[in-house]
Amino acid sequence: MFPHPDFDLYDNTGRTTEQINAANTDAPTCDDLRHWSVKEGSVPDPVGPAITAWTDRLHAAEHSEVAQLLLLATTDPNGVLPRLHEFLEAAADKLQQAGASEAATQLTGIVTRLGELDQDLYDTAVDAWEDINTAQSRATTATSASPAVGARATTAAPPSNYEPAAPLPLPRPDHPHRR
């Protein structure tokens, strides 16, 4: 049955039945056909690595910048979620045109949930900005109101040319790109 039983048994470990049958009949799997369906050279650069620069910037951010970076990266009209929303809407339209109605309906539901996530992220970022701004105001007030607190500070003084970061303007209370 197997010309080399030891090799064949171990070689097929982790393979699906479809992959084994495709290898035996020298035919492509459905996954192969799906990968090959995109024309060579027509796929732009990967989209995932683009967020890496934003993540690096977030790690280096001062506390006053965190909420604003979150808004810009995620919910700003040129942020991740609006662009992903637009991409998935286009994909749902194309699926509908291609006759994959069930998949198009499922994708439309995902797009709706993504819109809800977009609003939740916006609300969270605005709340975070308000919390950070309030905490910074309290710290500034406490330090300036009590000279003893300033005298007991254990952190090194900033350089003479240091200018503290001004708080970022409060985002508008309404979502900037509500559809």
Side-chain angles (χ1 to χ4, degrees):
M1 180 165 156
F2 294 110
H4 305 285
D6 290 335
F7 179 74
D8 285 338
L9 288 175
Y10 294 116
D11 189 40
N12 290 327
T13 302
R15 288 184 170 188
T16 65
T17 304
E18 180 191 19
Q19 290 171 328
I20 294 169
N21 289 337
N24 289 336
T25 60
D26 200 28
T29 64
C30 289
D31 194 43
D32 291 335
L33 294 174
R34 182 178 53 83
H35 286 297
W36 296 340
S37 67
V38 177
K39 294 177 183 78
E40 185 72 30
S42 67
V43 178
D45 292 335
V47 293
I51 196 70
T52 302
W54 282 90
T55 305
D56 292 344
R57 176 64 181 90
L58 186 62
H59 286 300
E62 294 192 21
H63 297 295
S64 62
E65 300 174 302
V66 173
Q68 190 68 17
L69 284 170
L70 179 62
L71 284 173
L72 290 172
T74 58
T75 65
D76 184 77
N78 288 315
V80 172
L81 289 179
R83 297 289 69 87
L84 181 58
H85 192 277
E86 182 181 335
F87 177 82
L88 294 176
E89 280 180 338
D93 289 343
K94 288 299 226 178
L95 288 171
Q96 187 68 37
Q97 293 169 9
S101 299
E102 187 176 326
T105 302
Q106 289 175 341
L107 195 52
T108 301
I110 292 169
V111 168
T112 301
R113 293 194 319 257
L114 187 61
E116 294 166 1
L117 176 62
D118 190 7
Q119 183 64 47
D120 290 345
L121 276 168
Y122 180 82
D123 293 342
T124 299
V126 169
D127 291 345
W129 188 91
E130 291 171 350
D131 291 345
I132 291 168
N133 196 36
T134 301
Q136 286 180 342
S137 295
R138 284 184 191 149
T140 302
T141 303
T143 302
S144 63
S146 172
V149 171
R152 287 190 313 238
T154 58
T155 58
S160 59
N161 62 352
Y162 174 77
E163 291 184 30
L168 296 170
L170 180 63
R172 292 181 288 166
D174 294 327
H175 197 284
H177 63 277
R178 195 72 184 141
R179 295 181 196 255

